Amino acid sequence: MVSIDLTAIRCPLALVKVKLALKQLEDGEVLSVSLSDIGSRQDVPRFLKKVGYRYSEVCNDENMLTIKISNLR
């Protein structure tokens, strides 16, 4: 599993970093992403749904969203 902490980064840069990380994943690999910016917390899941990535929320509270993204689309 690859993990990236983007809690210090705001959208749209966080979304760009997620896209770049997804391009580097091997088949079957999982990417864990932590986000705190409200825009990123909305935009990243919206993007993942749009392009067909499977993901699950690990943590979603008032401070942070952590999701695991599967490279199986």
Side-chain angles (χ1 to χ4, degrees), residues 2-68:
V2 178
S3 297
I4 54 174
D5 180 358
L6 301 175
T7 55
I9 299 174
R10 299 182 62 168
C11 213
L13 184 56
L15 180 58
V16 171
K17 289 190 175 277
V18 168
K19 289 178 180 181
L20 292 172
L22 288 171
K23 287 182 179 183
Q24 296 177 4
L25 285 184
E26 300 290 329
D27 286 341
E29 201 167 20
V30 175
L31 175 64
S32 175
V33 179
S34 297
L35 306 159
S36 63
D37 173 59
I38 193 72
S40 301
R41 293 174 65 164
Q42 295 172 357
D43 291 347
V44 170
R46 188 179 306 134
F47 163 76
L48 295 171
K49 285 180 188 176
K50 181 180 177 182
V51 297
Y53 278 96
R54 293 183 184 175
Y55 71 94
S56 61
E57 292 182 359
V58 176
C59 172
N60 190 1
D61 60 27
E62 64 275 356
N63 298 318
M64 183 174 21
L65 169 65
T66 302
I67 55 177
K68 286 188 178 180

